[in-house]
């Protein structure tokens, strides 16, 4: 442990942040709230899936209807609890912040917020600035 080595000083802060996230995760838990904005965008939690096989016994799936010709089914990772308080909201809870936010990003990837109509999947109160239409 040498204070003059830059990489070591950088890792002190990183290690502190990882430990803090683990402590908060065990004591309070981490959450991610996803809002589905768009006509016909819906989410449900299901115990079985048609297109995906379960990775572990008892795995649940998030089924998303996002305007595609088929529903999108994503397996919920271990340690993450998902619920849908409303059809257009998904609440993800878990102990590990990295796993919760990674799964939220995986869901968001299917419909990123777009700046012209304001539709998409928004994570944790995310907002976008709407752009004006292009006029010739």
């Amino acid at each position: 442990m040498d204070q003059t080595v830059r990489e070591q000083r950088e890792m002190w802060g990183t290690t502190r942040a990882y430990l803090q996230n683990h402590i908060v995760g065990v004591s309070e838990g981490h959450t991610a709230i996803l809002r589905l904005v768009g006509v016909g965008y819906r989410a449900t939690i299901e115990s079985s899936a048609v297109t995906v096989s379960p990775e572990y016994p008892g795995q649940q799936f998030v089924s998303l209807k996002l305007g595609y010709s088929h529903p999108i089914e994503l397996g919920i990772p271990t340690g993450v609890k998902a619920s849908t308080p409303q059809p257009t909201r998904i609440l993800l809870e878990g102990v590990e912040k990295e796993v919760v936010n990674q799964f939220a990003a995986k869901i968001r990837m299917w419909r990123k917020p777009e700046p012209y109509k304001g539709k998409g999947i928004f994570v944790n109160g995310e907002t976008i600035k709407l752009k004006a239409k292009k006029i010739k």
Side-chain angles (χ1 to χ4, degrees), residues 53-73:
S53 60
E55 297 171 7
Y56 58 90
Q59 182 180 23
Q60 290 188 317
F61 298 89
V62 175
S63 178
L64 302 168
K65 294 178 179 69
L66 298 174
Y68 294 109
S69 61
H70 55 85
I72 294 139
E73 295 174 326

Side-chain angles (χ1 to χ4, degrees), residues 7-27:
E7 287 81 17
Q8 285 187 7
R9 288 197 317 269
E10 291 170 352
M11 289 309 294
W12 291 344
T14 303
T15 306
R16 190 210 71 77
Y18 275 130
L19 288 172
Q20 178 68 26
N21 284 338
H22 285 294
I23 291 168
V24 170
V26 170
S27 62

Side-chain angles (χ1 to χ4, degrees), residues 33-99:
I33 301 168
L34 289 86
R35 287 186 303 123
L36 282 67
V37 179
V39 177
Y41 288 8
R42 298 282 177 266
T44 56
I45 308 297
E46 297 176 357
S47 58
S48 63
V50 178
T51 59
V52 185
S53 60
E55 297 171 7
Y56 58 90
Q59 182 180 23
Q60 290 188 317
F61 298 89
V62 175
S63 178
L64 302 168
K65 294 178 179 69
L66 298 174
Y68 294 109
S69 61
H70 55 85
I72 294 139
E73 295 174 326
L74 300 169
I76 300 171
T78 54
V80 176
K81 181 177 167 271
S83 61
T84 51
Q86 299 172 358
T88 58
R89 296 243 196 285
I90 304 171
L91 177 64
L92 302 175
E93 298 172 309
V95 174
E96 294 184 55
K97 183 177 187 179
E98 190 174 350
V99 175

